[in-house]
Amino acid sequence: MEHEPKPCAAVKGTQIMVENLFCNMATSKKALQNSNGDYTKIVDLVSRFAIHHINVSFSCRKYKATRPDVHTNVTSSRLDVIRSVYGVAVASNLMEIEAADTSPSTSVFEMHGFMSNATYTAKKMTMIIFINDRLVEWSALKKVIEVVYTKKVHKASKPFVNISIVLPPGQIDVNMHATKKEVSILNQEAMIEQIKSMVESRLRSSDEAQSFEEQQTARLSSPSQINTSMKANLNSKAMESRSKKVAVHTLVRTDSSDLTGRLHACGQTKFDGHTENGACSNAVRSSASPSSYPKTAADLTSVQELLAVINNDCDPAMMDIVRHCTYIGMTDDVFVVLQHHTHLYLANVVNLSKELMYQQFLSRFAHHNAICTSDPLPLKDLILLALKEDDIDLEVNDDDNLNEKTAEMMSELLKEKADMLDEFFGINIDEHGNICGLPVILDKHTPNMDHIHEFALCLGNDVDWEDEKNCIEGVSVALGYLYAVHPPMFPNPFGDGLLNYLKVNQLERGTFDRTGLDAINNKVEHGMPSHPKKEWTKYEWKIQHFVFPSLRNFFKPPVSMATDGTFVKVTSLERMNKLLGRC
């Protein structure tokens, strides 16, 4: 800077000009794109602010251009601003949405805005989010809304969403990104779940309205009815066609016998008496935009039956405990202590997370993003490793040869099922029999690759490929086990685990004296390597900050968990206080 800044009066009409940006900073100047690319970003940013601050007029015009690319006037209708900025096609397909929560135990927020309906089509998703009047990017909410639209609308269509959220300042952290475009929100899982439910409800009602209109159109089955409904349009356009000449090169030759694309084809579609209520609507929709697969995964009877089993088998009392419990801490490798009101419970984290992943996979069936493995994982080698670990006692002399043949047979079977596994389960297997990709079940959670060989064996051995429902259930169970939160393979470095590690370490070196336990106890202070400690610390952090928030939001505990040792009531706090008082 050449001089210190001085205050000045910013009256109406004040212009602020920025010239020679980064002229003394070669690195920053080099990072700038060309003027056209930068101007496109500026227009997008001004457009987003214009539809949020409707009490301010915005105008954005390129240098030396005669007309502005963005121009809005002060108005009381946000829909009018969206119409002027993004066009009539967008504004005419928007629905108003609202959501709110006043419960301090979950989240406190108010949300209002607009979302596109089921008839809107676009190649790129547009999501504009303002939180406390700050333009931000919320990737977690964006992915959830995109999944909802993928399930309900054609897969190639992307939605338009504009929402404004107001929440207490204490629930948001804006210092998460250098440009402040990303924020961290307290209890964001609960907020996302409520917004997701509202979007699903509005989209469902929009889809039902569209289906009703399509059914009304399809009922025009006779040519006389169609001709009657079109007479007014033909007569009104007759005068217009006389006065308006059409260029010869724009004329299109048609065949009157070809009914493709004409309303007659829709009207003369015949349905038998056993057709379901939405069959006519589905026929019209499929003729307009054919899907890449015969029917949506959510419409599969097998998936709906498995989801119905989860809902019907849910224990309401246990669900209330999971939703409103307080995490206390871990007691051993797999059990944690939870508090609900005045009671304490022991919960098996592995079993809970396994069932959680199973339920979440079915709820997003065939609509998962992909995780690419860093290196291809050969199925045959993985299955062979799992067979050797199982140490199956087979009464043959050549177990290795039998395991080799078994692994070869299972890997060939999975290669044959590769297309189906990729399309419906998100498991990518290449032509060489290597696992190259896995599905995303929960955002920001990756599978435990220490158990990938057991997963491969389960796919090849435990899945019933002949029955659709059993097949979906078997693969989902295998994925649930793979994505479950398992304790690390290293010994626990805390408490007695450190002593056990030292014993094993000295046994491997041949220096352990079984009578010299005091010598080992004296060496405990040397501790374990840093890597096991980091793994166990990460494991406990994930349980507290990832597993249990996900359980509170999504989990539906089955009744069997109350009797199989997964969920055990220990004692009440009052009883524990009495026992401690006696001691």
Side-chain angles (χ1 to χ4, degrees), residues 423-554:
E423 180 177 0
F424 292 103
F425 300 98
I427 304 172
N428 181 259
I429 299 176
D430 63 14
E431 57 184 2
H432 303 293
N434 300 320
I435 298 179
C436 300
L438 293 168
V440 176
I441 296 182
L442 281 178
D443 294 336
K444 299 181 181 179
H445 176 63
T446 54
N448 191 334
M449 301 306 287
D450 291 336
H451 300 272
I452 187 67
H453 58 292
E454 300 172 5
F455 169 71
L457 178 61
C458 185
L459 285 183
N461 188 56
D462 299 338
V463 177
D464 181 6
W465 300 100
E466 302 299 327
D467 183 78
E468 180 184 288
K469 181 179 177 181
N470 293 338
C471 175
I472 294 174
E473 183 178 18
V475 178
S476 301
V477 169
L479 285 168
Y481 177 80
L482 176 64
Y483 282 74
V485 180
H486 298 273
M489 306 296 288
F490 305 99
N492 194 333
F494 306 104
D496 295 336
L498 177 58
L499 182 62
N500 295 332
Y501 175 81
L502 291 174
K503 292 178 182 179
V504 173
N505 192 25
Q506 292 194 16
L507 278 171
E508 291 176 350
R509 296 181 180 180
T511 59
F512 175 65
D513 183 3
R514 296 183 181 276
T515 61
L517 294 178
D518 293 337
I520 295 178
N521 293 334
N522 293 333
K523 296 181 179 180
V524 168
E525 63 270 12
H526 293 291
M528 291 183 66
S530 59
H531 184 62
K533 288 185 177 180
K534 291 180 181 179
E535 289 296 322
W536 277 89
T537 302
K538 188 191 301 183
Y539 170 64
E540 295 184 7
W541 185 93
K542 178 175 284 190
I543 290 174
Q544 181 178 358
H545 298 283
F546 172 76
V547 175
F548 274 92
S550 300
L551 289 171
R552 291 189 185 98
N553 292 325
F554 310 117

Side-chain angles (χ1 to χ4, degrees), residues 102-362:
T102 58
S103 175
S105 60
T106 54
S107 60
V108 179
F109 76 96
E110 292 183 0
M111 187 273 289
H112 62 275
F114 294 91
M115 57 175 278
S116 56
N117 56 26
T119 61
Y120 177 77
T121 58
K123 295 182 180 180
K124 183 180 180 182
M125 180 178 182
T126 302
M127 186 158 187
I128 305 170
I129 304 177
F130 278 83
I131 300 180
N132 291 356
D133 292 331
R134 178 190 296 271
L135 179 63
V136 299
E137 294 180 2
W138 195 355
S139 58
L141 179 62
K142 183 178 180 180
K143 290 179 181 178
V144 169
I145 293 181
E146 195 168 12
V147 169
V148 172
Y149 271 87
T150 303
K151 290 181 179 180
K152 299 294 182 182
V153 191
H154 190 265
K155 194 172 183 180
S157 179
K158 303 298 181 182
F160 179 96
V161 181
N162 169 40
I163 59 177
S164 176
I165 301 174
V166 179
L167 46 80
Q171 293 187 5
I172 182 173
D173 183 5
V174 299
N175 296 315
M176 298 296 296
H177 195 272
T179 61
K180 303 296 188 290
K181 68 178 182 179
E182 296 180 6
V183 294
S184 178
I185 299 175
L186 188 66
N187 299 325
Q188 74 165 0
E189 293 85 4
M191 288 181 58
I192 290 176
E193 185 63 24
Q194 294 195 45
I195 296 174
K196 172 189 173 185
S197 301
M198 182 274 307
V199 171
E200 285 180 334
S201 176
R202 294 288 286 138
L203 198 58
R204 191 182 304 113
S205 62
S206 169
D207 193 32
E208 290 173 356
Q210 179 195 7
S211 299
F212 176 77
E213 293 177 0
E214 289 173 345
Q215 290 178 21
Q216 291 292 93
T217 304
R219 289 195 184 101
L220 299 176
S221 57
S222 65
S224 60
Q225 288 178 315
I226 298 171
N227 292 332
T228 303
S229 64
M230 296 175 65
K231 279 182 179 179
N233 292 332
L234 292 175
N235 293 332
S236 62
K237 291 181 179 180
M239 296 298 296
E240 181 180 353
S241 61
R242 292 173 187 171
S243 60
K244 190 175 182 180
K245 292 185 178 182
V246 181
V248 178
H249 68 275
T250 61
L251 296 176
V252 180
R253 185 177 299 278
T254 60
D255 184 2
S256 60
S257 63
D258 184 9
L259 299 180
T260 303
R262 295 173 58 191
L263 191 60
H264 299 74
C266 172
Q268 294 177 352
T269 304
K270 296 182 179 180
F271 304 98
D272 55 22
H274 303 285
T275 306
E276 297 180 1
N277 294 333
C280 179
S281 167
N282 293 334
V284 177
R285 188 175 305 163
S286 63
S287 65
S289 55
S291 177
S292 59
Y293 44 88
K295 52 183 176 179
T296 308
D299 297 334
L300 288 177
T301 305
S302 302
V303 176
Q304 294 300 319
E305 290 177 355
L306 292 172
L307 291 174
V309 170
I310 294 174
N311 294 327
N312 297 332
D313 194 39
C314 178
D315 189 330
M318 199 184 308
M319 186 173 180
D320 180 67
I321 295 173
V322 173
R323 292 286 170 89
H324 303 96
C325 68
T326 302
Y327 177 85
I328 303 298
M330 298 194 65
T331 60
D332 59 7
D333 296 354
V334 297
F335 278 95
V336 298
V337 181
L338 307 175
Q339 177 184 338
H340 182 254
H341 297 312
T342 59
H343 300 284
L344 292 179
Y345 296 87
L346 280 177
N348 189 313
V349 178
V350 177
N351 291 347
L352 288 175
S353 59
K354 190 189 306 182
E355 181 67 21
L356 169 68
M357 300 302 169
Y358 168 77
Q359 294 179 8
Q360 280 300 292
F361 179 80
L362 285 178

